């Protein structure tokens, strides 16, 4: 009988200290034996954004307890675990190092294989925790640091179709919330207060909407929100600006996803498209509803991770670990933290001066 594989996952790339124990079951989806996430909202709230040194300190204070709790909650002993996976990048080096070091120590002590995971691969494979999705599929990865369209050909095989040329979508949500004083983290705050506003009140720009394929841009939109926010004073107008921002994002994603689906079809020669929307921003219900409308129009089936697997978590890191372990993609103990680590290493770097679209 085929042995079931069990992994301990550790995630500390940004402001969540997380550990999880995951077992792959016979249907090749996951049994989540434990999933512990400690968010640092309180530490960063007063600054309206993540402060790296504070994040690293909080990881150091919490990591042992979180890993221990994940192991205890899972009721699995260290001997029963087949490998340890920790996020190695991309992210804040001071934060990544905390999770990497404890992961390596546990692996060395227990003589288990160690895997340094790309956080983006964690998001990319995350819907597989609950649903088996055959490769290839189209991925819209929208988080606090990334906004990309990729073809997921297999574990470890990615082709980038488009990316943001400036801000990530989560960043645009966070900055909009900060400018409007709606709270931290920004994404959920903008989504919440949008419901009380008029989405048609402000006409905001849709940068590079008619050019550059499925590449994305949000900096001009953010600047427009800043300009408008300076002119308004009452809450009703604030909520309408948030609603107009959300509405504009929906229009941009609708159009760009349609282009990405076309490119996916051309490249893979597939007539039916499976689209996975993952990352923290994939929790946004308005984006989900809007993409559902598109899916009916273009015959595409959309998969979202459960809300608890959209934001940063260690279940997706353990899951990516299991998938890589099965392909014998095991790392040495000298794997180091990386601040930048694209899934498609051949993709052009799209930020900075001299960019021509
Ligand atoms: O994937 P994630 O937890 O961390 C990174 O890998 O960056 O994504 C965090 C981002 C933040 O910018 C947060 O504001 C955004 O996801 N986010 C949302 C929502 N929930 C989280 N954005 C829009 N709507 C939401 N409901
Ligand atoms: Zn993330």
């Amino acid at each position: 009988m085929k042995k079931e594989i069990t992994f301990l996952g550790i995630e500390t790339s940004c402001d969540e200290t997380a550990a999880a124990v995951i077992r792959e079951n016979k249907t090749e989806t996951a049994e989540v034996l434990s999933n512990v996430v400690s968010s640092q909202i309180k530490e960063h709230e007063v600054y309206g954004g993540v402060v790296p040194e504070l994040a690293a300190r909080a990881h150091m204070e919490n990591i042992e307890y979180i890993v221990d709790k994940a192991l205890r909650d899972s009721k699995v002993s260290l001997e029963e675990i087949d490998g340890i996976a920790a996020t190695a990048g991309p992210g804040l080096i001071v934060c990544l190092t905390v999770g990497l070091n404890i992961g390596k120590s546990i692996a060395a002590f227990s003589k288990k294989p160690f895997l340094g995971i790309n956080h983006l691969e964690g998001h990319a494979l995350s819907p597989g925790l609950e649903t088996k999705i055959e490769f290839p599929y189209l991925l819209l990865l929208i988080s606090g640091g990334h906004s990309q369209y990729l073809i997921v050909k297999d574990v470890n095989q990615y082709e980038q179709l488009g990316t943001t040329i400036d801000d990530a979508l989560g960043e645009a949500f966070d900055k909009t919330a900060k400018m409007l004083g709606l709270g931290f983290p920004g994404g959920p705050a903008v989504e919440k207060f949008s419901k009380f506003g008029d989405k048609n009140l402000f006409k905001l720009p849709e940068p590079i909407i008619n050019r550059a394929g499925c590449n994305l841009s949000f900096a001009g939109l953010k600047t427009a929100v800043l300009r408008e926010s300076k002119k308004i004073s009452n809450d009703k107008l604030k909520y309408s600006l948030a609603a107009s921002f959300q509405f504009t994002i929906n229009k941009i994603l609708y159009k760009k996803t349609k282009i990405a689906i076309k490119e996916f079809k051309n490249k893979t020669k597939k007539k039916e498209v499976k689209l996975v929307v993952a990352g923290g921003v994939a929790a946004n219900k308005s984006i989900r509803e809007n993409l559902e409308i598109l899916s009916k129009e273009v015959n595409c089936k959309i998969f979202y991770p459960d809300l608890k697997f959209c934001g940063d978590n260690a279940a997706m890191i353990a899951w990516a670990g299991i998938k890589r372990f099965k392909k014998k993609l095991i790392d040495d103990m000298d794997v180091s933290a990386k601040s930048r680590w694209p899934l498609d290493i051949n993709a052009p770097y799209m930020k900075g001066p001299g960019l021509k679209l």
Side-chain angles (χ1 to χ4, degrees), residues 2 15 47 70 95 138 140 144 158 168 194 206 214 248 258 272 284:
K2 214 164 83 181
D15 58 342
Y47 304 98
C95 295
L138 175 64
L140 168 57
Y158 300 88
S194 288
E206 298 161 37
C214 61
T248 308
K258 202 169 176 178
E272 283 175 4
N284 187 287

Side-chain angles (χ1 to χ4, degrees), residues 228-243:
E228 295 298 338
S229 70
K230 288 190 171 149
K231 297 184 207 155
I232 57 177
S233 49
N234 71 53
D235 283 349
K236 181 78 191 157
L237 284 173
K238 259 194 209 177
Y239 303 155
S240 292
L241 187 48

Side-chain angles (χ1 to χ4, degrees), residues 70-91:
L71 285 168
R72 272 186 289 120
D73 286 0
S74 73
K75 304 203 166 41
V76 166
S77 70
L78 205 48
E79 290 75 59
E80 292 170 82
I81 284 183
D82 297 291
I84 289 108
T87 306

Side-chain angles (χ1 to χ4, degrees), residues 10 22 27 55 75 78-79 97 100 168 187 217 263 276 325 335 342:
I10 299 168
I22 300 294
T27 56
K75 304 203 166 41
L78 205 48
E79 290 75 59
T97 309
L100 260 186
S217 167
E263 285 189 23
V276 162
F325 178 73
V335 52

Side-chain angles (χ1 to χ4, degrees), residues 160-203:
Q160 186 176 297
L161 299 178
T163 182
T164 178
I165 60 165
D166 39 54
D167 292 353
L169 185 50
E171 207 179 336
F173 267 98
D174 291 339
K175 286 181 180 159
T176 294
K178 198 172 175 182
M179 289 184 274
L180 296 177
L182 298 178
F184 175 82
V190 170
E191 178 170 21
K192 180 175 157 199
F193 289 107
S194 288
K195 296 190 185 106
F196 308 117
D198 171 4
K199 67 180 189 327
N200 294 308
L201 199 63
F202 294 89
K203 177 93 190 85

Side-chain angles (χ1 to χ4, degrees), residues 119 123 143 280 311-312 316:
H119 179 86
H123 280 305
S143 69
D312 289 349
M316 69 180 192

